[in-house]
Amino acid sequence: MTICVTTIDRSAGTLANSLAELGVATVHEAQGRKGLLDAGLRPIYRPASIAGTAVTCEVAPGDNWMIHVAVEQCQQGDVLVVTPTSLCHDGYFGDLLATSLQSRGVRGLIINAGVRDIATLTEMKFPVWSAAVCAQGTVKETIANVNTTIVCAGQTIVPGDLVVADDDGVVVVRKEEAIAVLDKARQRVANEEDKRVRFEAGELGLDIYNMRERLAEKGLRWIESED
Amino acid sequence: MTICVTTIDRSAGTLANSLAELGVATVHEAQGRKGLLDAGLRPIYRPASIAGTAVTCEVAPGDNWMIHVAVEQCQQGDVLVVTPTSLCHDGYFGDLLATSLQSRGVRGLIINAGVRDIATLTEMKFPVWSAAVCAQGTVKETIANVNTTIVCAGQTIVPGDLVVADDDGVVVVRKEEAIAVLDKARQRVANEEDKRVRFEAGELGLDIYNMRERLAEKGLRWIESED
Amino acid sequence: MTICVTTIDRSAGTLANSLAELGVATVHEAQGRKGLLDAGLRPIYRPASIAGTAVTCEVAPGDNWMIHVAVEQCQQGDVLVVTPTSLCHDGYFGDLLATSLQSRGVRGLIINAGVRDIATLTEMKFPVWSAAVCAQGTVKETIANVNTTIVCAGQTIVPGDLVVADDDGVVVVRKEEAIAVLDKARQRVANEEDKRVRFEAGELGLDIYNMRERLAEKGLRWIESED
Amino acid sequence: MTICVTTIDRSAGTLANSLAELGVATVHEAQGRKGLLDAGLRPIYRPASIAGTAVTCEVAPGDNWMIHVAVEQCQQGDVLVVTPTSLCHDGYFGDLLATSLQSRGVRGLIINAGVRDIATLTEMKFPVWSAAVCAQGTVKETIANVNTTIVCAGQTIVPGDLVVADDDGVVVVRKEEAIAVLDKARQRVANEEDKRVRFEAGELGLDIYNMRERLAEKGLRWIESED
Amino acid sequence: MTICVTTIDRSAGTLANSLAELGVATVHEAQGRKGLLDAGLRPIYRPASIAGTAVTCEVAPGDNWMIHVAVEQCQQGDVLVVTPTSLCHDGYFGDLLATSLQSRGVRGLIINAGVRDIATLTEMKFPVWSAAVCAQGTVKETIANVNTTIVCAGQTIVPGDLVVADDDGVVVVRKEEAIAVLDKARQRVANEEDKRVRFEAGELGLDIYNMRERLAEKGLRWIESED
Amino acid sequence: MTICVTTIDRSAGTLANSLAELGVATVHEAQGRKGLLDAGLRPIYRPASIAGTAVTCEVAPGDNWMIHVAVEQCQQGDVLVVTPTSLCHDGYFGDLLATSLQSRGVRGLIINAGVRDIATLTEMKFPVWSAAVCAQGTVKETIANVNTTIVCAGQTIVPGDLVVADDDGVVVVRKEEAIAVLDKARQRVANEEDKRVRFEAGELGLDIYNMRERLAEKGLRWIESED
């Protein structure tokens, strides 16, 4: 059965802005290096940085019909996440759909396929992370699921999970883990600020992290010349 | 026999500026979703938007000799379209050739290969859509055809056809179809403007396009939760 | 044995600024079209243009430990060149390591792998040429060599060699050939300036380079129409 | 926390042989075209055809340590499914590990990374579907999860799910859906046999599936010549 | 308008067997190194070698409906050539369609997309050159053209042209050029046989082709050692 | 200056047969996991296994002239290693050149580019490892170096070095390290044989290599179920 689920748990949505500020690399580290979408998803303009609750959408190859169904499920603070059911780089999404999403307060689009009208999307400041840019349009013939659990660019996305995206890529945070991840990410940033000051002052990572002894134990030898 | 054809039919050239304004995605839709070059061709800077009459040029792998032959065939309002006879990402084209083309009023270059000097090309505002950026130069040893019908990045290009290129990619319009395509593209834009206003007002594509009944007929079910 | 070599010959370093001004394409031509790294290495922001003496660093897949070892070997005017021992697109390098390198006067990073924190790196104006952008972090478990001769992106890099990088890519110049290359590159630029003036004036490459006769000898025929 | 789960539900294992006989394409169709792993996974020899219960294993890039942990969890009738935590084509698996798995009655390996010793694996008749063949070995430094739910080559794999693999690729069948899928797949095959006889007799799909009228309704026109 | 053209010129079909025997590389050389389809099209089994008259077929992404329409246009001695209107690796074609084509005397399939059931296709000895193997099936919703001029894998294919395919790839020969190409190809083979005898006897290409003087003129120097 | 070096040090050639028997993966491990060529080089038929002394050859893109020069430098027991000066997948090598090499006792070809006539090469049992199969031929216009140190598929190859190639890929062994590598490789094989017996008997790698304690120290926990 093909379904569109109309009620999803957005309880973690209040944490989105804080995660967006921390950034993808920090959030990814803080949750134990999991949840990163394939690095082939790139922002259509830079810099760009968002976070929000995932509304998920499957699409058939060359067919963007279900994006229209998904738009109705989107609310203020959401991020639309779209995955094709097989590899396709067509331009599934353009400025009209972006206008529709922007009017609903949606923060951006993550799509493991192509988009078009990127000059207009850039002017509108509607951020998109996509696998391709392609002017090739799509048809509206085949249905698929909206707001079910999907795999997008190598990661499982459950509707209502938090999606964080910036110039470094896209990461998903499980809604039930979001508080703990946020906490760890903040610790990490605080710790990094301290490190940054020391690095700026010229201190070495070898000393800051006490690496010299362990390197020597592993067998590294410092020598003056190779000959 | 290897030839350079010196007379081509540029009669559709007067429509180029109008097509450029409409953009690649709109023109591609208006002509029934045909004529789009492979999405691997990307602009070296953005935004960029041009249209013009195609002068075509084949080149041997690692050999840009024929581009010099093609330059002489270029006139005000042309776009030079270059295709290698086998896969090659070398930098066939740089700032000197761009200077030569710009002095003749050529609007840009489409090349299914590599280019170089892109910092200078960007400063010169000479737009290029290429398959790669590569500093590797080329030799001048092998001849090939100029202004014959070629296949470039998956599409047939007849000399004198209109080539439209922008941030979304590159599309070719047959010269004999250009008036009809322009007409349909304008209708499409007018129609889209109306839609955009409705989308901005928060109306849904589901309603604007009357999709709900057909979706249900295809078997889509809206449910509150997956469980 | 795994080693970190602590003394390298930076005698060619005084030529770096001159080579940077000439640019990658010119330098590559001037040294007989050799030394170009794979075109898959792209700058994280544009325009960017550097040259400096190479400090080399191998890293295991998913492991950036040795970059910390390499930082200590870096001096004012160096460029750090990192190659993984097998294909890996993880984000080996971010803003903290960049801060450390910048504090030592290092001019940039060349890495045949991924980097992250690119929004911050862009703000810091620390230029990087990488094979990917990826938020996936790395571990610190495996040692490898620093300042030995490596192959990075298809080219041999000897520590102390000059590395030149700009929007067109990255080229390596052997330290012992640097003076000769600089000399030839300057001749080439002088020669190009003269050509540029002639191209701007509308003169054709066919005439500037006397190509017509040789083209005809090879068999090229100019004809009015293909039919 | 990093874990190795020691008890998994293999209740669907009795259906494996039947699914293997039906083949990947048929099973994939029968379950509504879902569950197919990325087509980049290819068998190291052909023909090959297996099905079994999934034991899952994550590995760090360039590190095959956890495969040894996973082997202990494998039983007669299992298929080992391995996914790297980031893109890596190293040779994680060779003839010794295959000997170990074969001694336990494991039916094959699915790995979204590289393998080696493929001449020996082919002689041993131990089938492997991998993303690459690569002699580059791996280290044993980093732990990761065994028998947790993973994403491998774009699909979610729950331990104990059925994995079916043949020359066409790899598909996963949820253990709780396996009976229904098997039933539909058998109907499909029965139906196909009937069709095959008609096709062999020269009957057309256009007639077997009554397509002519619907094609005409969509606008297809049969004409003698394009001119 | 979307059309299926029912009458094509197969007058060159009598030359197909002779071209198949000569092979793709020889035919490609004989016609001046033109007409080669992208090297990404590979045979599903080897060795395989065919030639025949092209019946052409466009398909929408993820939609194989038009292949059924094309089958009806196929006759004894034809080769079916299928191109998707945008990039798609789905399995458009399997053993039932192969049975249908085989019953009509069709010699093989060329498709710039995916196929499935390749174990059965191999047993049936129905040769296929495809861009991918993929078990992902397709729908039947969208119409496209049959027996119009198409671009497939970078080459223009006119219905009735000769298509030659073997382990080296696929080449198209214009029907009106086929006699001349066959003639040149035979000369080439005769010439090669003579060369082969001389190579077998240990004679060098340098001498057979009189290359030494020209190499020296270009500047090649033979030296005993590099130092 | 472009040169062909006529005298190379083949003193390690006597070790080639022994290395070939040990295989690429074992040799690669034995020399500390270095020297492996890019995994994109694949054999045109399987199984295939050779080793020999390297004769090196650069070629311009689309130009195989220098292979003829290199043939003359080849002797009994050599392996010809060819690298293009920029990316090119053309078919540089076919059955005539293979006949010439075979008549001189050359054991095979390694080429980071394309080859053709692979059906004939397979019949002749002339093994080739290439980056592509492509019927596109080449010209003979541009000179390049023979028997100089090159980078091929990511590795430095010095003329006279040993090249070992089999179904797993291609590895280079420095001539001066060959005896030590052979010695270590033999130890490794002996050691592996012992392991194989234990694996066949059902013993686990966890126990054979004493991994349990170290895994627990790193933090791995064995648990019955994830919930």
Side-chain angles (χ1 to χ4, degrees):
Chain A
M1 195 173 64
T2 306
I3 58 175
C4 172
V5 177
T6 57
T7 308
I8 66 176
D9 173 5
R10 289 178 172 88
S11 57
T14 52
L15 306 173
N17 287 346
S18 303
L19 288 170
E21 262 175 54
L22 292 159
V24 169
T26 296
V27 168
H28 181 243
E29 290 287 339
Q31 69 177 348
R33 288 183 187 156
K34 67 178 190 188
L36 193 71
L37 278 70
D38 190 280
L41 294 194
R42 296 297 301 144
I44 58 166
Y45 62 82
R46 283 176 45 200
S49 171
I50 62 163
T53 34
V55 166
T56 68
C57 178
E58 293 176 357
V59 287
D63 190 314
N64 77 345
W65 203 10
M66 298 315 289
I67 297 181
H68 286 279
V69 176
V71 168
E72 189 178 30
Q73 304 308 318
C74 289
Q75 302 179 1
Q76 174 81 28
D78 284 343
V79 171
L80 180 57
V81 183
V82 177
T83 194
T85 55
S86 70
L87 176 70
C88 185
H89 284 170
D90 286 356
Y92 280 83
F93 183 93
D95 60 351
L96 285 187
L97 278 165
T99 301
S100 186
L101 287 179
Q102 213 171 41
S103 82
R104 301 176 79 80
V106 173
R107 292 179 179 171
L109 170 74
I110 313 296
I111 181 166
N112 194 14
V115 294
R116 58 183 185 175
D117 301 331
I118 64 166
T120 308
L121 295 175
T122 302
E123 279 168 29
M124 290 171 64
K125 300 220 169 297
F126 187 82
V128 174
W129 285 256
S130 72
V133 172
C134 181
Q136 172 90 21
T138 52
V139 299
K140 289 171 181 53
E141 297 282 359
T142 306
I143 61 172
N145 297 304
V146 170
N147 267 338
T148 60
T149 298
I150 61 173
V151 173
C152 178
Q155 292 297 335
T156 305
I157 314 282
V158 182
D161 277 353
L162 291 177
V163 170
V164 189
D166 65 15
D167 292 11
D168 286 346
V170 185
V171 68
V172 60
V173 178
R174 300 280 159 252
K175 61 176 87 68
E176 59 274 18
E177 300 176 3
I179 290 175
V181 169
L182 179 56
D183 196 48
K184 279 193 198 157
R186 280 173 171 159
Q187 287 169 34
R188 194 177 164 85
V189 165
N191 183 36
E192 280 199 349
E193 276 319 299
D194 173 60
K195 296 287 191 309
R196 190 185 317 273
V197 172
R198 295 173 70 179
F199 278 121
E200 277 170 355
E203 220 174 322
L204 289 166
L206 288 176
D207 299 314
I208 294 175
Y209 303 112
N210 282 313
M211 292 168 167
R212 291 182 197 273
E213 194 179 354
R214 195 165 154 249
L215 284 162
E217 275 170 25
K218 287 264 186 177
L220 185 67
R221 294 294 166 260
W222 282 261
I223 62 178
E224 276 216 8
S225 114
E226 225 181 316
D227 312 312
Chain B
M1 196 174 63
T2 307
I3 58 174
C4 171
V5 177
T6 57
T7 308
I8 65 177
D9 172 5
R10 290 177 172 88
S11 56
T14 52
L15 307 173
N17 287 346
S18 304
L19 288 170
E21 262 175 54
L22 292 160
V24 170
T26 295
V27 168
H28 180 242
E29 289 288 339
Q31 70 177 347
R33 290 182 185 157
K34 67 177 190 188
L36 192 70
L37 277 69
D38 190 279
L41 294 195
R42 298 296 300 145
I44 58 165
Y45 62 82
R46 282 176 46 200
S49 171
I50 61 163
T53 33
V55 166
T56 68
C57 179
E58 293 177 357
V59 286
D63 191 316
N64 77 345
W65 202 11
M66 298 314 289
I67 298 182
H68 285 280
V69 176
V71 168
E72 188 178 31
Q73 304 309 318
C74 289
Q75 303 180 0
Q76 174 83 26
D78 284 343
V79 172
L80 180 57
V81 182
V82 177
T83 194
T85 54
S86 70
L87 176 70
C88 185
H89 284 171
D90 285 357
Y92 280 83
F93 182 94
D95 59 352
L96 286 187
L97 278 165
T99 301
S100 186
L101 287 178
Q102 214 171 40
S103 81
R104 299 177 80 80
V106 173
R107 292 179 178 171
L109 170 74
I110 313 296
I111 181 165
N112 194 13
V115 294
R116 57 184 186 174
D117 301 330
I118 66 166
T120 308
L121 296 175
T122 302
E123 279 167 28
M124 290 171 64
K125 299 220 171 298
F126 187 82
V128 174
W129 285 255
S130 72
V133 172
C134 180
Q136 172 90 22
T138 50
V139 298
K140 289 171 181 53
E141 298 282 359
T142 307
I143 61 171
N145 298 304
V146 169
N147 267 338
T148 60
T149 298
I150 61 173
V151 173
C152 178
Q155 293 297 335
T156 305
I157 314 282
V158 182
D161 278 354
L162 291 176
V163 170
V164 188
D166 64 16
D167 293 10
D168 287 345
V170 185
V171 69
V172 61
V173 178
R174 299 281 159 253
K175 62 176 86 68
E176 59 274 20
E177 300 175 4
I179 289 174
V181 169
L182 179 57
D183 195 48
K184 279 193 197 157
R186 280 173 171 158
Q187 287 169 36
R188 194 177 163 85
V189 165
N191 183 35
E192 280 199 350
E193 277 320 297
D194 172 61
K195 296 287 191 310
R196 190 185 318 272
V197 171
R198 294 173 71 180
F199 278 121
E200 276 170 355
E203 218 174 323
L204 289 165
L206 289 176
D207 299 315
I208 294 174
Y209 303 112
N210 282 313
M211 292 169 168
R212 292 180 195 276
E213 194 179 354
R214 196 165 152 251
L215 284 162
E217 276 170 24
K218 287 265 186 175
L220 184 67
R221 294 295 165 260
W222 283 261
I223 63 179
E224 277 217 4
S225 113
E226 224 181 318
D227 312 312
Chain C
M1 195 173 63
T2 307
I3 58 174
C4 172
V5 177
T6 57
T7 308
I8 65 176
D9 171 6
R10 289 178 173 88
S11 56
T14 51
L15 307 173
N17 287 347
S18 303
L19 288 169
E21 261 174 55
L22 292 159
V24 170
T26 295
V27 168
H28 181 243
E29 289 288 340
Q31 70 177 346
R33 288 182 187 157
K34 67 179 189 187
L36 193 70
L37 277 69
D38 190 280
L41 294 195
R42 296 295 301 145
I44 58 165
Y45 62 82
R46 280 176 47 201
S49 172
I50 62 164
T53 34
V55 166
T56 69
C57 179
E58 293 177 358
V59 287
D63 191 315
N64 78 344
W65 204 9
M66 297 316 289
I67 297 182
H68 285 280
V69 176
V71 169
E72 189 178 30
Q73 304 309 318
C74 290
Q75 302 179 1
Q76 176 82 27
D78 283 344
V79 172
L80 180 56
V81 182
V82 178
T83 193
T85 54
S86 70
L87 176 71
C88 184
H89 284 170
D90 286 358
Y92 280 83
F93 184 94
D95 59 353
L96 286 187
L97 277 166
T99 301
S100 187
L101 287 179
Q102 214 172 39
S103 82
R104 301 176 79 80
V106 173
R107 292 179 178 171
L109 171 73
I110 313 297
I111 182 166
N112 193 13
V115 294
R116 57 183 185 175
D117 302 330
I118 64 166
T120 308
L121 295 176
T122 302
E123 279 168 28
M124 289 171 65
K125 299 223 170 294
F126 187 82
V128 174
W129 285 255
S130 72
V133 173
C134 181
Q136 173 91 21
T138 51
V139 298
K140 289 170 181 54
E141 298 281 359
T142 306
I143 61 171
N145 298 305
V146 169
N147 266 339
T148 59
T149 298
I150 61 172
V151 173
C152 179
Q155 293 298 335
T156 305
I157 314 283
V158 182
D161 278 353
L162 291 177
V163 170
V164 189
D166 65 15
D167 292 11
D168 286 345
V170 185
V171 70
V172 60
V173 178
R174 300 280 160 251
K175 62 175 89 66
E176 60 274 18
E177 300 175 5
I179 290 174
V181 169
L182 179 56
D183 194 48
K184 278 194 198 156
R186 280 174 172 157
Q187 288 169 34
R188 193 176 165 87
V189 165
N191 183 36
E192 280 199 349
E193 277 320 299
D194 172 61
K195 296 285 191 311
R196 190 185 318 274
V197 172
R198 295 172 70 179
F199 277 122
E200 277 170 354
E203 218 173 323
L204 289 167
L206 289 176
D207 299 315
I208 294 174
Y209 304 112
N210 282 314
M211 291 169 167
R212 292 181 196 275
E213 193 179 354
R214 194 163 154 252
L215 284 162
E217 275 169 26
K218 287 263 186 178
L220 184 67
R221 294 294 165 260
W222 282 261
I223 62 179
E224 276 217 6
S225 112
E226 224 181 319
D227 311 313
Chain D
M1 196 173 65
T2 307
I3 58 176
C4 171
V5 177
T6 57
T7 309
I8 65 176
D9 172 6
R10 290 178 172 85
S11 56
T14 52
L15 307 173
N17 287 346
S18 304
L19 288 170
E21 262 176 54
L22 293 159
V24 170
T26 296
V27 168
H28 181 242
E29 289 288 340
Q31 68 178 349
R33 288 182 187 156
K34 67 178 189 187
L36 192 70
L37 277 69
D38 190 279
L41 295 194
R42 297 296 302 145
I44 58 166
Y45 62 81
R46 284 176 44 199
S49 171
I50 62 164
T53 33
V55 166
T56 67
C57 179
E58 293 176 357
V59 286
D63 191 315
N64 78 344
W65 204 9
M66 299 315 290
I67 297 182
H68 285 279
V69 176
V71 169
E72 189 178 31
Q73 304 309 317
C74 288
Q75 302 180 1
Q76 174 81 28
D78 284 343
V79 172
L80 180 56
V81 183
V82 177
T83 194
T85 54
S86 71
L87 175 71
C88 185
H89 284 171
D90 285 358
Y92 281 83
F93 183 95
D95 60 352
L96 286 187
L97 278 165
T99 301
S100 186
L101 287 178
Q102 213 170 41
S103 82
R104 300 176 79 81
V106 173
R107 292 179 177 171
L109 170 74
I110 313 297
I111 182 166
N112 193 13
V115 295
R116 57 184 186 174
D117 301 330
I118 65 166
T120 309
L121 297 175
T122 301
E123 281 168 28
M124 290 170 65
K125 298 220 171 297
F126 186 82
V128 174
W129 286 254
S130 72
V133 172
C134 181
Q136 171 92 21
T138 51
V139 298
K140 289 171 180 55
E141 298 282 359
T142 306
I143 62 172
N145 298 303
V146 169
N147 266 338
T148 59
T149 298
I150 61 172
V151 173
C152 180
Q155 291 297 334
T156 304
I157 314 283
V158 182
D161 278 353
L162 292 176
V163 170
V164 189
D166 65 15
D167 293 11
D168 286 345
V170 185
V171 69
V172 60
V173 177
R174 299 281 158 251
K175 62 176 87 66
E176 60 274 18
E177 299 176 4
I179 291 175
V181 169
L182 178 57
D183 196 49
K184 279 194 197 155
R186 281 173 171 156
Q187 287 169 35
R188 192 176 165 87
V189 165
N191 183 36
E192 279 199 351
E193 277 320 297
D194 172 61
K195 296 288 190 311
R196 190 184 319 272
V197 173
R198 296 172 70 180
F199 277 121
E200 276 169 355
E203 217 173 323
L204 288 167
L206 288 176
D207 298 315
I208 294 175
Y209 304 111
N210 282 312
M211 290 168 170
R212 292 181 196 276
E213 194 179 353
R214 196 168 151 248
L215 283 162
E217 275 170 24
K218 287 264 186 178
L220 185 67
R221 294 295 166 261
W222 283 261
I223 63 179
E224 278 216 6
S225 114
E226 224 181 315
D227 312 313
Chain E
M1 195 173 64
T2 307
I3 59 175
C4 172
V5 177
T6 57
T7 308
I8 66 177
D9 171 5
R10 290 177 172 85
S11 56
T14 52
L15 308 173
N17 287 346
S18 304
L19 288 170
E21 261 175 56
L22 292 160
V24 170
T26 295
V27 169
H28 180 243
E29 289 288 340
Q31 69 179 346
R33 289 184 185 153
K34 69 178 189 187
L36 192 71
L37 277 68
D38 189 280
L41 294 194
R42 297 296 301 145
I44 60 166
Y45 63 81
R46 283 177 44 201
S49 171
I50 62 165
T53 32
V55 166
T56 68
C57 179
E58 293 177 356
V59 287
D63 191 315
N64 77 345
W65 204 9
M66 298 315 289
I67 297 181
H68 286 280
V69 176
V71 169
E72 190 178 30
Q73 304 310 317
C74 289
Q75 302 179 1
Q76 176 82 28
D78 284 343
V79 172
L80 180 56
V81 183
V82 177
T83 194
T85 54
S86 69
L87 176 71
C88 185
H89 284 170
D90 285 357
Y92 280 84
F93 183 94
D95 60 352
L96 285 186
L97 278 165
T99 301
S100 186
L101 288 179
Q102 215 171 40
S103 82
R104 300 177 78 81
V106 173
R107 293 177 177 172
L109 170 74
I110 313 295
I111 182 166
N112 194 13
V115 295
R116 57 184 187 175
D117 301 330
I118 65 165
T120 308
L121 296 176
T122 302
E123 281 169 27
M124 291 170 65
K125 298 221 172 295
F126 186 82
V128 174
W129 286 255
S130 72
V133 173
C134 181
Q136 172 90 22
T138 51
V139 298
K140 289 170 181 55
E141 298 282 0
T142 306
I143 61 172
N145 297 306
V146 170
N147 267 338
T148 59
T149 298
I150 61 173
V151 173
C152 179
Q155 292 297 335
T156 304
I157 314 282
V158 182
D161 278 353
L162 291 177
V163 170
V164 189
D166 65 17
D167 292 12
D168 286 345
V170 185
V171 69
V172 61
V173 178
R174 299 281 158 250
K175 61 175 88 66
E176 60 275 18
E177 301 176 3
I179 290 175
V181 169
L182 179 56
D183 195 48
K184 279 193 197 157
R186 280 173 171 159
Q187 287 168 35
R188 193 176 165 87
V189 164
N191 183 36
E192 281 199 348
E193 276 321 297
D194 172 61
K195 296 289 190 309
R196 190 185 319 273
V197 172
R198 296 172 70 179
F199 278 121
E200 277 169 355
E203 217 173 325
L204 289 166
L206 289 176
D207 298 316
I208 295 174
Y209 303 113
N210 282 313
M211 291 169 170
R212 291 181 197 276
E213 193 180 354
R214 196 166 151 249
L215 284 162
E217 276 170 24
K218 287 264 187 178
L220 185 67
R221 294 294 165 261
W222 283 261
I223 61 179
E224 276 217 7
S225 115
E226 224 181 317
D227 312 314
Chain F
M1 195 173 65
T2 307
I3 58 175
C4 172
V5 178
T6 58
T7 308
I8 65 177
D9 172 6
R10 289 178 173 87
S11 56
T14 53
L15 307 173
N17 287 347
S18 304
L19 288 170
E21 262 176 54
L22 292 159
V24 170
T26 295
V27 168
H28 181 242
E29 289 288 339
Q31 68 178 348
R33 288 182 187 155
K34 66 178 190 187
L36 193 70
L37 277 69
D38 190 279
L41 295 195
R42 297 297 301 145
I44 59 166
Y45 62 82
R46 283 176 45 199
S49 171
I50 62 163
T53 32
V55 166
T56 68
C57 178
E58 293 176 356
V59 287
D63 190 315
N64 78 345
W65 203 10
M66 297 315 289
I67 297 181
H68 285 280
V69 176
V71 168
E72 189 179 28
Q73 304 309 318
C74 289
Q75 303 180 0
Q76 175 83 27
D78 284 342
V79 172
L80 180 56
V81 182
V82 178
T83 194
T85 53
S86 70
L87 176 70
C88 184
H89 284 171
D90 285 358
Y92 280 82
F93 183 95
D95 60 353
L96 286 186
L97 278 166
T99 302
S100 186
L101 287 178
Q102 215 172 39
S103 82
R104 301 176 79 80
V106 173
R107 293 179 177 170
L109 170 73
I110 314 295
I111 181 166
N112 194 13
V115 295
R116 58 184 187 175
D117 301 331
I118 65 167
T120 309
L121 296 176
T122 302
E123 280 168 28
M124 290 170 65
K125 298 219 173 297
F126 187 82
V128 174
W129 285 256
S130 72
V133 173
C134 181
Q136 171 92 21
T138 50
V139 298
K140 288 169 182 56
E141 298 282 359
T142 307
I143 61 172
N145 298 304
V146 169
N147 267 339
T148 60
T149 297
I150 61 172
V151 173
C152 179
Q155 293 297 336
T156 305
I157 315 282
V158 182
D161 278 353
L162 292 176
V163 170
V164 189
D166 65 15
D167 293 11
D168 287 345
V170 184
V171 69
V172 61
V173 177
R174 299 281 158 251
K175 61 177 88 67
E176 59 274 18
E177 300 176 4
I179 290 175
V181 169
L182 179 57
D183 194 50
K184 279 194 197 155
R186 280 173 172 158
Q187 287 170 35
R188 193 176 164 88
V189 165
N191 183 36
E192 280 200 349
E193 276 320 298
D194 172 62
K195 297 287 191 310
R196 190 185 318 272
V197 173
R198 295 172 71 180
F199 277 121
E200 276 169 357
E203 216 173 325
L204 289 166
L206 289 176
D207 299 316
I208 294 174
Y209 304 112
N210 282 312
M211 290 169 170
R212 291 182 197 275
E213 194 179 353
R214 196 166 151 249
L215 284 161
E217 275 169 26
K218 286 264 188 179
L220 185 67
R221 295 294 165 260
W222 283 261
I223 63 178
E224 276 215 7
S225 111
E226 223 181 320
D227 312 314

